[in-house]
Amino acid sequence: MPIDVVDLRTFYSAPLGRIAQRAISRIVRHWWNDTHGLAVAGLGYATPYLDPFRDEAVRVIGLMPAEQGIVHWPPGGTSATAMVEGGQLPLPDGSIDRVLLVHMLEPTEHPREVLSEVWRVLSPGGRMIAVACNRRGMWARVDTTPFGYGQPFSKRQLAALLRETLFSPERFGEALYVPPFERRSLLKLAPFFERTGKRMALPGAGVHLVEATKQLYRPVMLRARAPVRHALPRLEPRLQGSFRRDGPFRRDGDPDR
């Protein structure tokens, strides 16, 4: 079930949401540290993570599904957001260089269709970052945050989904080791949780991040050769009979004469 855009906006304006934004943005920005001359699009509810690209990318837009709703972004200027229906992106083929998916794969019933559309609009050599809730993490078990809605993923499931839709996973990351509770003591320790979790590679982070590139060619599946069928020799009818010493030739089955 998709979460409403009002709840998403409320979450990211709260202290826990700002911590989540900083933890995820740190990885996204590290991977995409230079977007000069590129077109960047966010799909789902990715606008909290798009601000760092506005000053350097040629174009930055936010695409939000109709089931979720849409908000004006950026605040105080001309809106750069658009509503999309059923994962169909109103963009030409190969028109976007970078796509960021946040709160998009988990609530949708058809993630393969969404990724197929992302593949279509990405330019040759384009890259995508997908942020998806970790099914083994605590954030997937608590519905007080947007990451507790929809279908979470394991790392293996996410990689398999990308390969099925003609993406090549390049690198993985994890974030949100802090428990998803609005407690001041936990929020103060959020940087410690993040550093410790990454340094020790602990399981159970809140979200997976994966960067993938667009495959330009579909893999060719080799079919097994059909076994060679040898033609049977043509059978000619033969007259079968028997001879008796004391009589003429007789066909088998003829009554004795």
Side-chain angles (χ1 to χ4, degrees), residues 10-24:
T10 301
F11 169 74
Y12 280 104
S13 63
L16 185 60
R18 290 194 292 269
I19 287 175
Q21 177 185 352
R22 286 195 295 268
I24 295 173

Side-chain angles (χ1 to χ4, degrees), residues 128-205:
M128 175 195 69
I129 291 179
V131 180
C133 191
N134 180 8
R135 64 180 303 178
R136 299 177 60 187
M138 189 180 298
W139 288 70
R141 297 175 172 84
V142 179
D143 61 2
T144 56
T145 79
F147 296 100
Y149 287 77
Q151 175 64 45
F153 292 86
S154 67
K155 182 178 177 180
R156 182 176 298 179
Q157 289 173 332
L158 199 56
L161 178 62
L162 292 173
R163 292 191 180 100
E164 288 176 12
T165 49
L166 302 181
F167 285 96
S168 297
E170 299 292 336
R171 49 184 168 182
F172 285 85
E174 293 181 327
L176 301 187
Y177 290 93
V178 61
F181 303 114
E182 290 275 4
R183 297 178 182 175
R184 184 173 299 179
S185 58
L186 291 176
L187 297 180
K188 288 182 178 180
L189 292 174
F192 168 78
F193 279 106
E194 295 299 314
R195 289 194 303 268
T196 304
K198 292 177 181 178
R199 185 181 301 116
M200 301 181 67
L202 297 177

Side-chain angles (χ1 to χ4, degrees), residues 25-36 38 52-53 56-57 98 127 129 171 211:
S25 291
R26 190 176 294 112
I27 299 176
V28 172
R29 189 57 174 162
H30 175 68
W31 289 353
W32 292 351
N33 55 11
D34 185 7
T35 56
H36 284 89
L38 303 179
F53 306 111
E56 60 184 37
R98 300 288 185 269
R127 292 177 176 267
I129 291 179
R171 49 184 168 182
E211 183 185 30

Side-chain angles (χ1 to χ4, degrees), residues 3-254:
I3 189 171
D4 188 81
V5 69
V6 176
D7 295 327
L8 287 161
R9 184 170 55 185
T10 301
F11 169 74
Y12 280 104
S13 63
L16 185 60
R18 290 194 292 269
I19 287 175
Q21 177 185 352
R22 286 195 295 268
I24 295 173
S25 291
R26 190 176 294 112
I27 299 176
V28 172
R29 189 57 174 162
H30 175 68
W31 289 353
W32 292 351
N33 55 11
D34 185 7
T35 56
H36 284 89
L38 303 179
V40 179
L43 182 57
Y45 192 81
T47 51
Y49 305 94
L50 295 179
D51 282 328
F53 306 111
R54 289 179 56 205
D55 294 333
E56 60 184 37
V58 173
R59 186 182 307 108
V60 181
I61 58 175
L63 305 171
M64 300 183 179
E67 299 85 358
Q68 166 193 290
I70 189 172
V71 295
H72 181 96
W73 179 88
T78 303
S79 180
T81 56
M83 184 179 293
V84 297
E85 188 73 37
Q88 301 297 314
L89 306 183
L91 298 170
D93 296 356
S95 58
I96 301 295
D97 302 295
R98 300 288 185 269
V99 176
L100 175 63
L101 274 72
V102 187
H103 303 299
M104 187 65 195
L105 292 180
E106 303 96 329
T108 183
E109 296 181 0
H110 307 287
R112 289 172 180 80
E113 295 180 7
V114 171
L115 291 175
S116 295
E117 270 293 276
V118 173
W119 189 94
R120 180 185 66 81
V121 303
L122 270 176
S123 61
R127 292 177 176 267
M128 175 195 69
I129 291 179
V131 180
C133 191
N134 180 8
R135 64 180 303 178
R136 299 177 60 187
M138 189 180 298
W139 288 70
R141 297 175 172 84
V142 179
D143 61 2
T144 56
T145 79
F147 296 100
Y149 287 77
Q151 175 64 45
F153 292 86
S154 67
K155 182 178 177 180
R156 182 176 298 179
Q157 289 173 332
L158 199 56
L161 178 62
L162 292 173
R163 292 191 180 100
E164 288 176 12
T165 49
L166 302 181
F167 285 96
S168 297
E170 299 292 336
R171 49 184 168 182
F172 285 85
E174 293 181 327
L176 301 187
Y177 290 93
V178 61
F181 303 114
E182 290 275 4
R183 297 178 182 175
R184 184 173 299 179
S185 58
L186 291 176
L187 297 180
K188 288 182 178 180
L189 292 174
F192 168 78
F193 279 106
E194 295 299 314
R195 289 194 303 268
T196 304
K198 292 177 181 178
R199 185 181 301 116
M200 301 181 67
L202 297 177
V207 296
H208 292 299
L209 290 91
V210 55
E211 183 185 30
T213 56
K214 173 180 179 177
Q215 293 183 14
L216 296 182
Y217 303 101
R218 294 180 180 270
V220 178
M221 303 301 293
L222 297 179
R223 294 186 302 175
R225 293 184 59 185
V228 178
R229 297 182 178 180
H230 298 283
L232 295 175
R234 185 176 180 181
L235 301 178
E236 298 291 343
R238 297 181 60 183
L239 184 64
Q240 295 182 352
S242 61
F243 289 90
R244 293 185 302 180
R245 291 181 180 180
D246 57 349
F249 175 82
R250 177 177 66 86
R251 293 187 181 90
D252 291 344
D254 287 351

